[in-house]
Amino acid sequence: MVSTAKRTLEMQLLLGPDEAVPVAGRFSYRSDRPFEVEVAFLSRGQKVATWLFARDLLLAGLYGEAGEGDVRVWPFRRPGASRRVHIELSTDDSVCELSVRAIELTAWLEQTAAIVPPGQEDRYLDMDTHLARLFAGKC
């Protein structure tokens, strides 16, 4: 049986130092894909983009800079404001930076840890099934 943790978090798409636009991010985690997090970005209730990246990246980014290349994550706090986590997503054409409340992201990550404890992902990964899907061209 596959266990899941899903939560929509209000994020901010950062346009400049003092300018941001609200964006909803639907965070999803599945026990049969224990290393991966899916984030679907929503605008007016419609999915506009989906990104997949490692759960470990988010966990590490709660406390320090994490990631190289397409996805980077780091904690951020302005004086007098609540702690946030910034997520930078890069493509060949552009870079966008998003911000989410650290307390909300932490609560969701705790849900994922209750499903698959960090460091024990390999116990939940059915490698035979994933290899069969890969060789059948269904990934």
Side-chain angles (χ1 to χ4, degrees):
M1 184 171 106
V2 175
S3 297
T4 62
K6 294 183 181 187
R7 184 179 291 182
T8 300
L9 302 177
E10 171 139 344
M11 304 179 76
Q12 297 291 319
L13 174 61
L14 305 175
L15 303 175
D18 296 316
E19 188 177 0
V21 175
V23 174
R26 186 182 318 134
F27 286 69
S28 301
Y29 182 79
R30 298 169 46 123
S31 61
D32 64 334
R33 295 176 170 221
F35 291 101
E36 144 187 324
V37 166
E38 177 182 292
V39 182
F41 296 99
L42 310 172
S43 177
R44 297 186 178 118
Q46 300 294 316
K47 188 186 312 185
V48 293
T50 301
W51 279 72
L52 297 174
F53 47 88
R55 175 177 67 163
D56 282 350
L57 192 59
L58 289 179
L59 289 166
L62 290 173
Y63 304 104
E65 290 187 29
E68 297 177 13
D70 294 349
V71 182
R72 294 185 10 187
V73 184
W74 65 94
F76 181 82
R77 185 175 203 158
R78 278 194 171 161
S82 62
R83 199 167 64 92
R84 300 186 72 83
V85 174
H86 283 209
I87 302 171
E88 181 183 88
L89 306 173
S90 302
T91 67
D92 290 339
D93 301 325
S94 63
V95 175
C96 78
E97 188 174 330
L98 300 130
S99 175
V100 62
R101 288 182 196 97
I103 195 166
E104 292 178 11
L105 181 60
T106 300
W108 180 76
L109 285 167
E110 287 171 353
Q111 285 183 320
T112 73
I115 295 169
V116 176
Q120 297 183 22
E121 292 88 353
D122 59 336
R123 294 183 181 180
Y124 294 81
L125 186 62
D126 182 353
M127 189 59 79
D128 292 336
T129 299
H130 287 287
L131 286 173
R133 289 182 69 218
L134 176 66
F135 293 135
K138 295 181 180 179
C139 286

